[in-house]
């Protein structure tokens, strides 16, 4: 149902089913489509209250009908993620669209959210189906294994999935190693078995340069 056009446009073919997407991300459609704005990230009243408390905001619309709908978000690169009953953790600003049958929610992430200024929570997507995530430049998918843990700059983090544990390191910066004299005050360390999605660009964070 999900397919990419050139990496920056998502096409979704529908035969009466539904898809959820970031509000305002539709750029074109053919056939017969109905659009509905959903509150609380599409999670109902409880989701709306939870997201308001946690600060993990997400405005979502539901598209349902017969035909093809195309989505994009500020020419960002798009990556498709297939879920087989597992859970994807993704920054809400990087979630473009999901199959209508996938469930979204919020999850506590700890200090990483504080270092980014995005709160202490992140968005979760789980179930069986596809999700489309965006990144500033082509996303890099990195494998984490028990033998090879991974440290990530919080400004480059997009999403992760699998059986991964997060911890946080402070006082060591990537830019210090490259001689630029600055960098993030925190890095995220992933251990276990799974995938981490990062972008080749850094968003602004509260941690700033140290």
């Amino acid at each position: 149902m999900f397919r990419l056009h050139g990496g920056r446009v998502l096409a979704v073919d529908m035969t009466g089913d539904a898809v959820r997407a970031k509000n305002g991300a539709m750029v074109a459609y053919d056939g017969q489509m109905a659009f509905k704005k959903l509150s609380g990230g599409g999670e109902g009243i409880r989701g709306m209250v939870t997201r308001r408390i946690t600060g993990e905001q997400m405005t979502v619309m539901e598209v349902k009908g017969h035909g093809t709908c195309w989505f994009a978000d500020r020419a960002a690169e798009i990556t498709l993620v297939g879920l087989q009953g597992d859970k994807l953790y993704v920054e809400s600003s990087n979630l473009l669209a999901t199959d209508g049958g996938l469930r979204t929610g919020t999850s506590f992430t700890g200090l990483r959210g504080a270092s980014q200024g995005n709160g202490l929570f992140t968005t979760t997507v789980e179930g069986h189906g596809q999700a489309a995530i965006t990144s500033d430049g082509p996303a890099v998918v990195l494998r984490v294994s028990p033998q090879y843990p991974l440290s990530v700059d919080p400004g480059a983090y997009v999403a992760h999935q699998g059986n991964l544990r997060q911890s946080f390191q402070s006082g060591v910066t990537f830019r210090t190693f490259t001689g630029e004299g600055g960098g993030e005050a925190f890095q995220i360390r992933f251990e276990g078995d799974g995938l981490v999605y990062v972008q080749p660009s850094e968003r602004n964070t509260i941690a700033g340069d140290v």
Side-chain angles (χ1 to χ4, degrees):
M1 190 169 75
F2 284 17
R3 50 192 173 90
L4 296 180
H5 280 271
R8 297 186 179 184
V9 177
L10 170 70
V12 181
D13 301 314
M14 285 178 278
T15 57
D17 41 0
V19 63
R20 292 179 178 181
K22 180 180 291 188
N23 195 43
M26 188 275 294
V27 295
Y29 72 91
D30 62 23
Q32 299 295 321
M33 299 288 174
F35 300 87
K36 177 182 178 182
K37 184 177 179 180
L38 302 177
S39 61
E43 299 147 25
I45 298 299
R46 177 177 295 181
M48 181 172 61
V49 172
T50 300
R51 288 185 177 275
R52 185 169 297 174
I53 292 173
T54 63
E56 181 71 0
Q57 298 298 324
M58 185 171 64
T59 306
V60 174
M61 63 179 177
E62 181 182 73
V63 185
K64 186 175 183 179
H66 293 78
T68 301
C69 198
W70 289 268
F71 301 94
D73 185 18
R74 296 170 294 179
E77 297 282 344
I78 302 170
T79 301
L80 298 183
V81 180
L83 297 176
Q84 301 295 327
D86 51 328
K87 184 180 293 187
L88 174 73
Y89 298 81
V90 57
E91 295 298 309
S92 61
S93 59
N94 295 101
L95 183 59
L96 178 65
T98 65
D99 281 347
L102 291 175
R103 303 180 302 279
T104 59
T106 55
S107 178
F108 181 72
T109 60
L111 293 177
R112 181 181 59 77
S115 70
Q116 287 183 234
N118 290 343
L120 296 176
F121 293 78
T122 196
T123 292
T124 60
V125 183
E126 60 184 315
H128 291 80
Q130 286 184 298
I133 61 177
T134 61
S135 56
D136 186 3
V140 179
V141 186
L142 302 174
R143 164 68 66 178
V144 180
S145 68
Q147 296 81 16
Y148 297 99
L150 179 71
S151 294
V152 174
D153 190 315
Y157 169 84
V158 173
H160 74 272
Q161 65 184 133
N163 185 21
L164 293 175
R165 302 180 304 279
Q166 295 183 55
S167 58
F168 306 93
Q169 300 171 322
S170 62
V172 179
T173 70
F174 290 123
R175 291 179 184 174
T176 297
F177 291 139
T178 62
E180 296 183 15
E184 298 300 329
F186 297 91
Q187 275 82 55
I188 319 165
R189 181 177 174 86
F190 291 95
E191 297 177 278
D193 187 13
L195 301 175
V196 178
Y197 300 79
V198 299
Q199 61 185 8
S201 176
E202 291 184 272
R203 63 176 68 84
N204 293 326
T205 66
I206 281 182
D209 292 340
V210 295

